[in-house]
Amino acid sequence: MTTAQQWIERGDRCIATTYGRYPLVAARGEGCYLWDVDGRRYLDFLAGVAVNNLGHCHPKVVAALQRQAQTLLHCSNYYHIPSQIELAELLCANSFGERVFFCNSGAEANEAAMKLVRRHSLEHHGENRFEVITALASFHGRTIGTISATGQDAVRKGYNPVVPGFRYVPFGDIDAMRAAVSDKTCAVLLEPIQGEGGVNVAPPGYLRAVREFCDEHQLLLVFDEVQVGCGRTGKLFAYQHDDVAPDIMTLAKGLAGGPPIGAMVATDAVAATFVPGTHGSTFGGNPLVTAAAVAALRVLLEDGVLENCLTMGDYLRQRLEDFCRRYPFAVEVRGRGLILALQLNIPGGEIVKQALEQGLLINCTADTVLRFVPPLIVSRGEIDDAMTILDDVFGEV
Ligand SMILES: *Cc1c(COP(=O)(O)O)cnc(C)c1O
């Protein structure tokens, strides 16, 4: 049998070095648990970075994949694909959306959105109106286009020239947005809650103010719900908490409960700009992943997952707030539903390593923010176990 150390050495010789990886070699997963090749079990409160929303290997998702794998793995978008149609119907029936473009990742969904807003603006407002306002500390992906949209210098470093046409404003500051608009602006792109940027929740009234601002200036509003959509906040989509509908929404991470998928959801009027030949994707909306996503979305909507997310989110928040009272380096809890952050006043990297050694997977974003995005099916007992481990780790700091 190949040992963990042997896998790590083999990987070190042939895998691109884009990630700093922890010394965990993944073998299998079930529910909220991940096992390594040595048979060690970890409580997974990272969940593939908010991908495994239904836990690892949810039986209904696995069954849908198995059924579809035996029937039709792939088929070109030159033809009609039933599971793709079913998924689009489900997304539209449960959101503001009326049409869906499918792709394979969050970055691609945002690329589709950026292409759509440019083309829509050209059609409706003429030349030279192409700028998009995005937020500082945002994250929209790793392609050339999406690093250009992302309001963090670090992700653009070394890749100049980036795509022109983006202006960054502080998240939550409507006056800064007013100051950034010009006759070149065509859209605003925002995460309702910034995930990678440190779990920053839009202040009350901000999304509504942005919607009104967009209407006033005839700008399209795009919500990047790649991380916070698909039930993560306790509603199917994060924008539904504020009752503020965008013109376009992008989805990916949790949409299929594990398999790679991306989607751009738009109103009919806006989506109409994408006539045949203007955009496309070979794998986008492929039978296999859309069959999985239909099953995953039905579980989210029908099996009490959103309710569990809200009650367990409240419970995890209380437990994290308790740490703020007991440890001087834990200063604030942020988030909504089951995307929660514990803001530290010290770097969190070492805590993440120690937690992993004790069997708990979490991560640290923006240097000092511990992020908790467990599966939405997490139980009280699993939260208790995770908090016991964290308490031990904090005790050693
Ligand atoms: C993860 C993420 C992306 C990028 O998704 P990929 O699938 O990695 O391309 C985009 N936007 C947000 C908000 C994300 O969290």
Side-chain angles (χ1 to χ4, degrees):
M1 207 186 78
T2 312
T3 65
Q5 196 47 42
Q6 286 168 329
W7 280 121
I8 290 169
E9 281 164 16
R10 282 168 63 179
D12 281 350
R13 284 196 289 270
C14 61
I15 301 290
T17 48
T18 47
Y19 310 102
R21 294 178 197 260
Y22 297 98
L24 183 164
V25 183
R28 69 185 179 91
E30 192 185 318
C32 294
Y33 293 100
L34 184 74
W35 281 263
D36 70 14
V37 290
D38 298 322
R40 250 203 99 187
R41 193 177 80 159
Y42 301 83
L43 249 180
D44 189 357
F45 273 43
L46 181 60
V49 193
V51 168
N52 302 106
N53 277 7
L54 305 176
H56 290 279
C57 298
H58 190 285
K60 290 184 180 172
V61 175
V62 171
L65 280 165
Q66 284 172 331
R67 257 193 324 271
Q68 189 62 46
Q70 290 172 336
T71 317
L72 183 66
L73 278 179
H74 179 75
C75 167
S76 165
N77 277 312
Y78 296 156
Y79 311 111
H80 300 271
I81 300 170
S83 53
Q84 184 184 107
I85 296 165
E86 282 184 321
L87 179 57
E89 283 175 348
L90 270 175
L91 288 171
C92 294
N94 290 285
S95 75
F96 73 94
E98 293 161 321
R99 284 187 189 274
V100 186
F101 172 80
F102 287 108
C103 50
N104 314 289
S105 67
E108 281 176 74
N110 287 328
E111 289 280 347
M114 292 184 295
K115 284 178 77 174
L116 183 56
V117 297
R118 280 191 174 189
R119 218 184 148 83
H120 181 271
S121 188
L122 181 67
E123 271 180 14
H124 292 83
H125 305 280
E127 300 271 351
N128 267 321
R129 191 176 179 275
F130 55 84
E131 276 186 3
V132 177
I133 298 175
T134 72
L136 290 167
S138 59
F139 183 80
H140 299 296
R142 294 288 195 166
T143 60
I144 287 282
T146 54
I147 61 171
S148 312
T150 293
Q152 296 184 49
D153 289 338
V155 309
R156 284 193 296 275
K157 198 167 171 235
Y159 298 112
N160 279 325
V162 295
V163 178
F166 294 94
R167 301 190 70 158
Y168 317 106
V169 298
F171 185 61
D173 182 346
I174 190 71
D175 292 330
M177 198 170 280
R178 290 189 189 289
V181 73
S182 74
D183 55 6
K184 288 199 179 68
T185 314
C186 72
V188 172
L189 167 62
L190 288 177
E191 299 157 86
I193 299 174
Q194 293 187 323
E196 302 305 303
V199 189
N200 307 314
V201 182
Y206 178 63
L207 297 181
R208 177 163 302 280
V210 172
R211 175 75 269 180
E212 283 163 11
F213 168 80
C214 286
D215 292 342
E216 194 183 314
H217 295 273
Q218 293 186 286
L219 311 177
L220 294 179
L221 177 57
V222 186
F223 283 157
D224 178 344
E225 294 225 13
V226 167
Q227 185 158 157
V228 297
C230 306
R232 180 55 53 193
T233 63
K235 287 195 188 280
L236 190 56
F237 303 112
Y239 77 83
Q240 293 168 332
H241 290 280
D242 295 78
D243 204 20
V244 174
D247 301 292
I248 299 172
M249 166 174 75
T250 55
L251 301 172
K253 292 197 166 85
L255 182 53
I261 187 170
M264 185 203 66
V265 180
T267 61
D268 222 350
V270 173
T273 290
F274 268 171
V275 296
T278 52
H279 194 42
S281 166
T282 300
F283 288 119
N286 156 299
L288 193 66
V289 294
T290 49
V294 167
L297 212 47
R298 289 205 176 120
V299 172
L300 262 183
L301 291 166
E302 293 163 16
D303 292 3
V305 179
L306 297 177
E307 293 77 2
N308 190 69
C309 173
L310 285 173
T311 48
M312 290 305 122
D314 281 346
Y315 182 58
L316 178 55
R317 171 185 286 276
Q318 281 171 31
R319 296 294 312 260
L320 293 173
E321 279 169 353
D322 188 43
F323 286 127
C324 294
R325 285 187 285 273
R326 290 174 38 226
Y327 294 99
F329 55 83
V331 294
E332 186 193 34
V333 179
R334 291 192 296 269
R336 181 169 249 166
L338 281 170
I339 174 163
L340 291 170
L342 183 57
Q343 175 72 57
L344 309 176
N345 59 17
I346 55 170
E350 199 50 40
I351 289 173
V352 171
K353 275 191 203 153
Q354 295 298 323
L356 181 137
E357 277 178 22
Q358 298 207 35
L360 171 65
L361 306 183
I362 53 173
N363 92 325
C364 174
T365 181
D367 271 351
T368 54
V369 180
L370 297 182
R371 177 172 47 176
F372 301 83
V373 283
L376 310 182
I377 56 156
V378 70
S379 70
R380 212 181 152 91
E382 286 159 344
I383 291 175
D384 286 338
D385 290 348
M387 294 303 104
T388 300
I389 293 172
L390 205 60
D391 207 358
D392 282 352
V393 172
F394 278 11
E396 298 288 306
V397 171

